[in-house]
Amino acid sequence: MQRFMLVVLAGVASTLIVHWALAKGPSKGDDRSEAVDRGRYLVEHVAMCVQCHTPRDAQGNLDDRRLLQGAAIPLASPFAAAPWAPQAPTIAGLPGGWTEQDVVNFLHTGRSPGGEFARAPMPPFRMTNDDAAAIAAFLKSLPAR
């Protein structure tokens, strides 16, 4: 469990410096497939979305067949009084009526289309427009459950 928490914390720290640490994002002339590829990289290796939003198998490994299909949060809040989401929602295919622009806004502001903030352990991302748009394109490219 400590290892998982370190992975989550490392992912959060990475997002704080994402525009500094990564090469320049796709320009306006790049096609959608490049944005999708960049989004996949950000989701899997920088923001670490897969760690909470993808179910795990019996050995604790991510179930790649159910990528970003939602999963129970595998650890309890380290702060007894802090609200803690018990489940990370499905984000593959942009379910729940979310648009790509809703995802971009969420990754800029931390607020859902209804104005609510996500509960911990979801970090309050403040991504660049290019990074947020790439993540939205990637999520939309995935099959919905």
Side-chain angles (χ1 to χ4, degrees):
M1 186 169 336
Q2 288 177 339
R3 181 174 171 237
F4 177 78
M5 190 63 165
L6 288 174
V7 168
V8 170
L9 292 174
V12 171
S14 296
T15 61
L16 297 175
I17 58 170
V18 67
H19 66 276
W20 174 81
L22 296 174
K24 183 180 175 200
S27 67
K28 291 180 182 174
D30 292 333
D31 67 10
R32 184 153 176 93
S33 67
E34 288 180 14
V36 169
D37 289 344
R38 180 171 172 76
R40 174 184 294 275
Y41 173 76
L42 292 168
V43 163
E44 293 180 352
H45 302 288
V46 179
M48 305 295 284
C49 310
V50 294
Q51 293 299 321
C52 290
H53 291 273
T54 300
R56 295 175 183 275
D57 64 20
Q59 291 75 39
N61 300 312
L62 294 175
D63 183 349
D64 293 335
R65 295 170 297 135
R66 298 186 294 159
L67 184 68
L68 304 167
Q69 294 292 324
I73 301 294
L75 60 137
S77 172
F79 310 105
W84 195 261
Q87 178 89 14
T90 298
I91 56 176
L94 302 182
W98 281 50
T99 65
E100 287 184 70
Q101 188 59 51
D102 291 336
V103 173
V104 170
N105 292 341
F106 179 75
L107 294 173
H108 281 303
T109 67
R111 288 184 182 254
S112 72
E116 303 89 18
F117 285 103
R119 288 188 289 169
M122 180 69 182
F125 292 110
R126 301 294 185 261
M127 294 189 177
T128 66
N129 191 58
D130 284 346
D131 288 346
I135 287 174
F138 171 62
L139 294 177
K140 185 170 182 164
S141 76
L142 297 172
R145 184 164 36 151

